[in-house]
Amino acid sequence: MTQSFSIPTLGPSAHQDTFCRDNLPPLEQWPVLDMGPLDYGERINCATELLDATIERLGPDRPCLRSPGGTVWSYGELRAHANRIAAVLVEDLGLVPGNRVLLRGFNEPWLVACWFAVLKAGGVAVTTMPLLRAGELATMAEMCRPTVALCDSRLTEDLDRAAIPGLRTTVFGSTAPDDLITRAASRGPVFDDVDTAADDVALLAFTSGTTGRPKATMHFHRDVLAIADTFSAHVLRPEPDDVFTGSPPIGFTFGLGGLVVFPLRVGANVLLLEKATPDLLADAIAQHGVTVVFTAPTAYKAILAAGAAGKLAGVRRAVSAGEALPEPVWRAVHDATGLRIIDGIGATEMLHIFISAADDDIRPGATGREVPGYTAVVLDDAGQPVADGTAGRLAVRGPTGCRYLGGDRQEVYVRNGWNVTGDTYVRDTDGYFHYQARTDDMIVSAGYNIAGPEVEQALLGHPEVVDCAVVGAPDAERGMIVKAFVVLNPERTREVPAEELQDFVRQAIAPYKRPRAVEFCKELPRTSTGKLQRYKLR
Ligand code: 3UK
């Protein structure tokens, strides 16, 4: 679609280290910005807003972060820890505004304190996921050039092996005399937050890279607040008495939003889990009176399979994102608990969720509608809108959007001002968006377009199928055939032949979509954010 739009301008930066401004993509390649009613002014620090402003409204004593081990920090305590670490960053580690700080830790309170410290000091947070190894950390560092790292003492090995040039690493959680926490304890609890520009970069987030080389996305201080004031405020609608938990790492923006930004914006409480496999997650939800959960569709599936859906009884809001939520999973959770899972599609490029629905607005099987503040359209390959009911490329815009560090492949994601997510979607006449597949994962077999996830969903309806992935396999006659990789329930009491699964799919959806090849496996390849790596199966 072509339209005219104005090229954005930037306010005066508070960054002394100009790396981020220097590496923003060219302004004319940015997506169209639509702030709608959101207005953060020219200067805002998202850490001040999430922490100090919440304390100003609700007082310092409300419970903020806790961990299963028994740590409970109030909002005032988290702020004091963050302020003390900010002082160490500036006074001892030489941080100047704009420096990138690599953070490495599990989901636990000190990681969150470090994240706030970096932002208060005007630094740029680069939070990495614990699962990442030396090679991946080295690649990330090469791209974003951190000067300082704050690292959990249990996770130093891979960071050391990454041998990042010029990096000053400080460890937290050890017994060493120069441990970050010990050093921070000698500082005062007050820190004068850097008065950052609303459009100063606050964080760099790496894409999960289901296909290859990761890209770094750049997000501003105002973007961090915008995700709370769109998806969270209008769809999730949390309350100060909610208790949040979830499985995504804080280094994944799904986790950052759900476990830090959204709860703190409203003064709620967060249970941080270092290990959040589906069984541990379900237990923690039941034990700690959790009311708001963030996790991936596979976790809901696994909780159901383990017969643990009852543990979700106290949950008020359950969010699913990262991959499509199969309708049978939504229905099974609803049948077992009455809970209506909030599906939402988000992306690292967009920072968080832009299509979703909650409560009675949910249509099971559809991702939802535009989150207030975002506009979404479905485009054909030439960039023209398609009719409702027709599949095409999902394109969105709103207050957040894609800015790749160094403009790396920027024109692939942003076209004519739209963020093109790489997903094939159908919009229905009621404005609901129905996920089909990643555009690259559409299977063309004998002239038919087949969306792998639709076949996966059909297979998952079979009682003995616990996980599956459907891809196109090259075929001389048909171009491609539908091939299914299937994980069967290990506790099954009988054999399940491939033909039975093929027949099962043929009963559920159009017969031409049935898998012509079935391969059984023990588990499926996934990224560190839990996404299926279909390209590996191809
Ligand atoms: C896929 C979905 C169907 C889709 C993310 C919430 O997943 C997140 O970010 P990533 O950059 O991946 C983005 C891609 O993942 N996807 C995500 N959610 C859904 N597909 N239904 C969904 N509900 O292909 C998208 O383009 O890893 C999710 C919040 C923040 C995030 N970063």
Side-chain angles (χ1 to χ4, degrees):
M1 216 191 307
T2 49
Q3 75 271 308
S4 58
F5 48 83
S6 56
I7 289 174
T9 53
L10 292 166
S13 175
H15 286 181
Q16 272 161 258
D17 173 344
T18 60
F19 177 88
C20 285
R21 283 270 167 111
D22 295 344
N23 282 284
L24 281 166
L27 289 167
E28 61 277 7
Q29 291 183 14
W30 289 25
V32 168
L33 177 72
D34 182 4
M35 292 302 289
L38 303 177
D39 181 7
Y40 300 113
E42 294 221 332
R43 315 224 45 105
I44 202 159
N45 183 317
C46 66
T48 318
E49 292 305 308
L50 292 174
L51 211 41
D52 301 68
T54 301
I55 290 172
E56 217 155 275
R57 275 187 297 117
L58 300 172
D61 299 328
R62 294 186 61 81
C64 184
L65 303 180
R66 52 178 154 138
S67 53
T71 304
V72 185
W73 289 357
S74 67
Y75 274 77
E77 285 167 319
L78 172 60
R79 175 170 60 178
H81 289 311
N83 286 349
R84 293 183 159 114
I85 296 170
V88 174
L89 281 169
V90 174
E91 293 161 17
D92 291 12
L93 303 174
L95 183 92
V96 301
N99 286 165
R100 278 77 53 222
V101 179
L102 192 146
L103 299 176
R104 185 158 167 77
F106 298 100
N107 282 7
E108 54 90 34
W110 287 107
L111 179 67
V112 177
C114 289
W115 188 83
F116 276 108
V118 170
L119 294 171
K120 281 170 165 270
V124 176
V126 184
T127 315
T128 62
M129 291 180 283
L131 282 175
L132 297 181
R133 295 287 161 253
E136 294 154 310
L137 294 170
T139 307
M140 292 167 71
E142 217 169 275
M143 294 166 73
C144 72
R145 315 228 164 235
T147 56
V148 172
L150 305 180
C151 181
D152 185 307
S153 60
R154 297 164 293 176
L155 290 169
T156 52
E157 200 184 313
D158 279 282
L159 188 58
D160 291 343
R161 279 204 297 125
I164 296 164
L167 186 75
R168 290 177 75 167
T169 300
T170 300
V171 165
F172 60 89
S174 71
T175 50
D178 59 349
D179 187 273
L180 177 67
I181 297 171
T182 310
R183 282 155 85 168
S186 66
R187 311 299 153 117
V190 179
F191 184 83
D192 196 6
D193 295 357
V194 170
D195 185 26
T196 41
D199 53 18
D200 271 332
V201 173
L203 57 100
L204 299 178
F206 284 83
T207 58
S208 351
T210 44
T211 48
R213 192 159 63 95
K215 286 167 289 209
T217 63
M218 313 179 83
H219 297 288
F220 297 154
H221 279 266
R222 65 158 194 250
D223 299 337
V224 175
L225 301 172
I227 60 172
D229 300 339
T230 52
F231 169 72
S232 185
H234 294 291
V235 180
L236 186 65
R237 286 186 277 113
E239 283 162 17
D241 288 335
D242 274 317
V243 181
F244 283 62
T245 201
S247 61
I250 289 168
F252 179 27
T253 66
F254 180 37
L256 177 70
L259 301 175
V260 179
V261 178
F262 303 162
L264 270 67
R265 189 71 163 152
V266 297
N269 188 199
V270 191
L271 170 70
L272 292 167
L273 301 173
E274 294 198 0
K275 290 202 179 67
T277 54
D279 52 328
L280 293 173
L281 180 64
D283 286 344
I285 289 168
Q287 266 171 33
H288 293 266
V290 168
T291 58
V292 181
V293 181
F294 281 76
T295 192
T298 46
Y300 292 107
K301 222 182 293 175
I303 290 171
L304 281 169
K311 294 187 176 153
L312 306 180
V315 174
R316 203 170 74 73
R317 315 302 257 162
V319 178
S320 169
E323 286 187 299
L325 174 67
E327 188 175 338
V329 175
W330 190 96
R331 292 203 182 276
V333 169
H334 185 243
D335 290 348
T337 63
L339 188 61
R340 306 170 72 84
I341 297 181
I342 300 173
D343 190 2
I345 177 172
T348 307
E349 287 83 351
M350 301 300 297
L351 197 53
H352 220 273
I353 292 173
F354 45 85
I355 292 176
S356 183
D359 305 313
D360 293 341
D361 285 338
I362 294 171
R363 300 254 174 108
T367 311
R369 287 189 289 204
E370 295 154 325
V371 167
Y374 289 89
T375 308
V377 290
V378 179
L379 305 176
D380 65 17
D381 291 346
Q384 297 299 318
V386 299
D388 286 341
T390 306
R393 295 167 187 265
L394 181 68
V396 291
R397 62 198 206 193
T400 60
C402 176
R403 295 173 222 106
Y404 288 129
L405 179 78
D408 184 17
R409 289 165 284 173
Q410 176 80 4
E411 56 292 326
V412 176
Y413 204 92
V414 178
R415 294 192 217 153
N416 291 320
W418 290 95
N419 298 277
V420 181
T421 66
D423 297 291
T424 297
Y425 259 86
V426 171
R427 185 177 67 188
D428 66 24
T429 48
D430 295 329
Y432 280 81
F433 287 82
H434 301 254
Y435 178 76
Q436 310 294 299
R438 290 287 303 167
T439 305
D440 295 342
D441 289 341
M442 290 294 294
I443 303 163
V444 186
S445 182
Y448 287 110
N449 274 306
I450 301 164
E454 186 187 1
V455 185
E456 288 163 11
Q457 184 162 316
L459 278 165
L460 283 170
H462 188 286
E464 302 297 352
V465 174
V466 291
D467 205 359
C468 66
V470 167
V471 301
D475 180 73
E477 197 185 323
R478 294 170 182 273
M480 262 194 240
I481 56 162
V482 176
K483 177 168 184 186
F485 291 83
V486 174
V487 181
L488 291 173
N489 176 5
E491 253 103 76
R492 69 186 179 281
T493 52
R494 62 178 182 89
E495 277 320 301
V496 179
E499 299 73 43
E500 177 178 331
L501 296 176
Q502 290 164 323
D503 284 341
F504 186 81
V505 172
R506 209 199 316 244
Q507 301 303 319
I509 54 178
Y512 70 85
K513 297 176 182 168
R514 74 186 181 281
R516 285 172 191 271
V518 177
E519 193 172 317
F520 295 101
C521 42
K522 286 219 165 62
E523 62 178 354
L524 298 171
R526 289 185 185 274
T527 64
S528 50
T529 55
K531 275 190 223 301
L532 208 51
Q533 291 170 304
R534 291 191 181 79
Y535 76 99
K536 284 203 174 153
L537 298 169
R538 281 197 289 264

